[in-house]
């Protein structure tokens, strides 16, 4: 994902010069100061759909900063395994809560996230910039955005309740979605890419630091890849390797399904989500189409509609 997404960024950026100019004219800056609630762009989506890329594209055009809402990526370490956007792909956009926490300090709860992330949102807004919240942990996103946040209540556990739908920020909620079978195929390939990029070596170094990383790191230790490869590092057989890879693929696909289900539940409790269908982008990638073809699909189906929505959201 990392390689492909960085490849089409500049091309895609070039497709929207008018938006760049309008953004540079201060659309977002004029907005703050005359509203009581901070204005926030939120990007939801399953793993592998392009949330991080979209957050950077939006941030680059609208003078924004990204607040990470992935509960594994908040911790330092395992950058390949957890799919953190590499520094070079962040294109200078400031990121908050991305790899900032010491994994040995315990698990960041939803209320802990609400408190850290709302401080980040307030700080970003006070600088006249737009907070873009992006990540796959929907309980974190719900905790940050909901008017009321009670750690004991699972927001995804059943019948919609009207109060759970009210938001404490003025929000533009973008959902990057990809048709399930195309996403599953892409996620399998992405695991292979991550392995080629050094995931196994990264995990080997991680396991070499001590007996059971999940005890030392109760949050980061749950990253897909850590439990799945534990047995492989004990046995080091080809069969154990294949089994670990199959489990990583399976669990990644399951994660994506769970994420979509939770996003749909947020829609059901009244969140006004704008769904962006990134299936053609993923289909182009799977079909081995040119980078230009993929960038065009991204601009047409994801980036263009998102920018128009953000622009009108910031002008209203
Ligand atoms: P939610 O927060 O949406 O209610 P959740 O508590 O199940 O759901 P998720 O963020 O969906 O949390 O993550 C679930 C699990 O998926 C994690 O515990 C981890 O195993 C895996 N996971 C999530 N994000 C990543 C990531 N970036 N890298 C590796 N594994 C991840």
């Amino acid at each position: 994902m990392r390689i492909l997404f960085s490849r089409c960024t500049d091309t895609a950026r070039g497709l929207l010069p008018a938006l760049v100019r309008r953004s540079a004219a201060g659309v977002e800056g004029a907005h703050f100061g005359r509203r009581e609630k901070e204005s926030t762009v939120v990007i939801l989506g399953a793993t592998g759909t392009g949330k991080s890329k979209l957050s950077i594209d939006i941030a680059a055009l609208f003078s924004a900063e990204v607040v990470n809402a992935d509960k594994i990526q908040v911790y330092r370490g395992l950058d390949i395994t957890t799919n953190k956007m590499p520094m070079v792909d962040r294109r200078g956009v400031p990121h908050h809560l991305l790899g900032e926490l010491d994994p040995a300090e315990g698990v960041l709860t939803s209320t802990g996230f609400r408190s850290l992330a709302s401080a980040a949102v307030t700080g970003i807004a006070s600088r006249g910039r737009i907070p873009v919240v992006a990540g796959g942990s929907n309980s974190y996103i719900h905790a940050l955005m909901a008017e009321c946040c009670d750690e004991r209540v699972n927001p995804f556990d059943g019948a919609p309740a009207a109060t759970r739908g009210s938001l404490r920020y003025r929000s533009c909620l973008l959902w990057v979605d990809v048709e399930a079978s195309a996403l599953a195929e892409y996620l399998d390939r992405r695991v292979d890419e991550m392995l080629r990029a050094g995931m196994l070596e990264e995990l080997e170094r991680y396991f070499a630091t001590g007996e059971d990383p999940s005890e030392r790191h109760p949050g980061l230790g749950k990253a897909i890849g850590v439990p799945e490869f534990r047995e492989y590092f004990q046995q080091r057989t080809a069969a154990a390797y294949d089994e670990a890879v199959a489990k990583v693929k399976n669990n990644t696909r399951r994660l994506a399904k769970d994420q979509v289900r939770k996003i749909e539940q947020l829609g059901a409790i009244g969140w006004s989500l704008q769904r962006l269908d990134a299936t053609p982008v993923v289909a182009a990638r799977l079909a081995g189409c040119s980078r230009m073809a993929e960038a065009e699909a991204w601009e047409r189906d994801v980036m263009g509609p998102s920018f128009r929505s953000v622009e009108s959201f910031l002008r209203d």
Side-chain angles (χ1 to χ4, degrees), residues 70-73 82 137-139 156 222-224 255 262:
D70 176 307
K71 66 168 54 164
I72 305 290
Q73 292 185 357
T82 64
S137 290
N138 295 296
S139 59
F156 304 108
K222 288 202 186 74
I224 295 177
L255 169 65
K262 286 172 184 168

Side-chain angles (χ1 to χ4, degrees), residues 164-268:
R164 284 192 251 147
S166 49
L167 305 181
R168 65 187 176 132
Y169 299 115
R170 198 179 156 261
S171 314
C172 175
L173 305 168
L174 305 173
W175 168 20
V176 192
D177 195 24
V178 172
E179 187 278 321
S181 63
L183 183 61
E185 188 181 341
Y186 170 61
L187 290 175
D188 278 2
R189 284 204 202 175
R190 192 182 68 168
V191 172
D192 295 329
E193 270 175 30
M194 287 161 70
L195 287 163
R196 280 196 293 277
M199 177 178 170
L200 184 69
E201 294 75 11
E202 181 179 80
L203 285 167
E204 176 148 38
R205 287 193 297 276
Y206 185 63
F207 275 97
T209 61
E211 266 296 286
D212 188 349
S214 58
E215 269 182 20
R216 283 177 292 129
H217 298 160
L220 182 64
K222 288 202 186 74
I224 295 177
V226 174
E228 291 82 354
F229 270 96
R230 177 173 291 112
E231 232 171 275
Y232 166 73
F233 287 116
Q234 283 156 6
Q235 300 179 2
R236 292 182 185 270
T237 62
Y241 177 83
D242 290 345
E243 197 178 322
V245 173
K247 279 187 192 161
V248 167
K249 289 182 175 174
N250 212 27
N251 290 339
T252 306
R253 276 187 252 121
R254 189 180 306 154
L255 169 65
K257 270 194 198 157
D258 276 357
Q259 289 170 315
V260 171
R261 184 180 53 78
K262 286 172 184 168
I263 293 166
E264 286 170 345
Q265 278 176 287
L266 292 175

Side-chain angles (χ1 to χ4, degrees), residues 55-78:
S55 70
I56 304 280
D57 285 351
I58 289 177
L61 284 183
F62 291 99
S63 177
E65 300 183 20
V66 175
V67 180
N68 165 53
D70 176 307
K71 66 168 54 164
I72 305 290
Q73 292 185 357
V74 292
Y75 302 106
R76 222 170 21 242
L78 293 182

